[in-house]
Amino acid sequence: MNMIKTLSAAAMTVLLGASAAVAEWPERPINVIVPFKAGGSSDLVARSFASAIEEQGLLSQPVTVINVGGHSSVGARRVLDAAPDGYEFLLHETGIIGAQASGIIDFGYADYKPVAATGSICMALLTRKDSGYDSLSALLDAARAAPGEIVFGVNLGGLNHMSGILLENSADVKFRFAQIGGSADNFAALTGGQTAVASVGAAGARNFTLTDDGQVSDESQVQTIALLADAPHDRLPNVKTAAEQGSDVQFCFTNYWFAPADTPDDIITAFAGALEAAAGSERIVTFYNDTLSSPVFLKGDDFTQHLEETAAVVGPIAQQATQN
């Protein structure tokens, strides 16, 4: 608890230092656009931070989360084209880098003003319980026997697509990737039998397959068969990593907060300060623990450097998406 108070106090110093320059901001609610349907990993992050900001009184106006369905480019472009007045922000993730590198979208992180990076979370693989793919080895054996026939739901060029490509590369298999969307869309597609496998953030996997007390849900029609992390996690009981099942694949992502390119620097500083203070709150510390996230926070030059380094790694993988 002392660490939480110390982090919050340091972040509040930054926030108060910027307050004189943005005394008139915000004068109305602030919109945070999540370019995925409600219920997925990014949506959970945005809503948790919005609640923490309100509970801590970090901004004078509420933060409202708006979900935009369809391909993530729709919501992302909405913020790209929004007025740079500090009332519309984007909460995306590493997938925006992959989407640009693969040519799915013709814009990317450099077309926004970076605000902050909050938390890192690894991907997990889901299948239907009645699919027969109750382990990663069972899924890969079936994919080898029927190349290109198993339907893998993705957001083309996004994180779930890239994690699927990594799995193909490591196991010498071939899936049939189908445009579905983000985590919530893929859960619906799996439940409806439109797809056979999906890759979602570990937070989404927990949300879709477990009860509130962390037990395997008997009501859910889907199951988690692998965690794409360097170690298993007790928040996903009995789920082995891909490496433990013979496929050395790890794939994790970071959530990114962006603003329209011409948003004033003092507003960026103030909003980043609010996010940093929220990141040190008990709500977010608990949220990270519950969702298997690592408590990353980056802003300013550190965030810009992270974006550039990530693009250098993710870009080549994402370019394979155009060949699938």
Side-chain angles (χ1 to χ4, degrees):
M1 184 63 69
N2 289 337
M3 181 178 179
I4 293 172
K5 289 181 179 179
T6 301
L7 289 170
S8 296
M12 281 300 294
T13 299
V14 175
L15 185 61
L16 293 173
S19 62
V22 292
E24 297 181 356
W25 179 90
E27 296 181 293
R28 62 178 190 271
I30 299 164
N31 291 334
V32 172
I33 307 303
V34 176
F36 309 102
K37 290 184 178 179
S41 299
S42 296
D43 178 63
L44 295 174
V45 170
R47 293 184 186 279
S48 295
F49 270 88
S51 295
I53 287 171
E54 183 174 357
E55 290 166 359
Q56 300 290 315
L58 300 174
L59 293 172
S60 61
Q61 294 286 337
V63 174
T64 302
V65 177
I66 298 176
N67 298 93
V68 178
H71 193 273
S72 60
S73 61
V74 178
R77 185 170 287 281
R78 167 173 165 164
V79 177
L80 186 73
D81 297 335
D85 55 8
Y87 293 101
E88 195 120 315
F89 292 87
L90 175 67
L91 188 280
H92 211 300
E93 26 76 346
T94 311
I96 192 171
I97 295 175
Q100 182 185 29
S102 64
I104 299 296
I105 58 176
D106 60 0
F107 59 94
Y109 71 87
D111 296 301
Y112 298 89
K113 185 163 285 188
V115 179
T118 57
S120 177
I121 191 167
C122 297
M123 304 292 282
L125 296 177
L126 302 181
T127 60
R128 284 182 59 90
K129 289 179 179 177
D130 61 4
S131 65
Y133 312 140
D134 56 359
S135 68
L136 181 57
S137 58
L139 173 65
L140 296 179
D141 286 346
R144 291 189 188 96
E149 293 187 17
I150 294 178
V151 181
F152 195 128
V154 300
N155 195 40
L156 291 173
L159 292 174
N160 46 21
H161 193 180
M162 286 186 284
S163 61
I165 291 171
L166 280 175
L167 192 60
E168 285 186 327
N169 292 346
S170 69
D172 193 24
V173 299
K174 190 74 171 176
F175 295 106
R176 177 155 63 90
F177 294 113
Q179 170 61 31
I180 299 296
S183 297
D185 294 306
N186 272 288
F187 172 68
L190 276 174
T191 300
Q194 298 162 330
T195 58
V197 59
S199 178
V200 304
R206 184 180 188 279
N207 190 41
F208 298 142
T209 66
L210 304 182
T211 60
D212 290 340
D213 60 359
Q215 302 302 308
V216 175
S217 173
D218 292 332
E219 296 182 1
S220 177
Q221 297 180 54
V222 306
Q223 60 191 346
T224 307
I225 63 167
L227 181 63
L228 306 186
D230 60 358
H233 200 289
D234 59 7
R235 296 281 177 166
L236 281 176
N238 303 316
V239 176
K240 295 180 179 180
T241 66
E244 289 177 311
Q245 301 180 67
S247 183
D248 191 15
V249 175
Q250 296 179 29
F251 197 72
C252 306
F253 66 91
T254 304
N255 286 107
Y256 298 153
W257 301 75
F258 295 113
D262 294 327
T263 303
D265 288 341
D266 50 6
I267 291 178
I268 298 297
T269 299
F271 192 56
L275 291 171
E276 187 171 12
S281 70
E282 187 170 2
R283 171 182 280 275
I284 298 302
V285 171
T286 300
F287 171 76
Y288 281 156
N289 183 53
D290 287 346
T291 57
L292 298 77
S293 302
S294 299
V296 172
F297 187 88
L298 300 171
K299 64 181 181 180
D301 292 341
D302 290 339
F303 183 25
T304 300
Q305 181 178 346
H306 166 85
L307 288 168
E308 293 171 350
E309 291 175 349
T310 301
V313 174
V314 168
I317 301 169
Q319 288 171 6
Q320 286 187 250
T322 61
Q323 303 168 12
N324 283 271

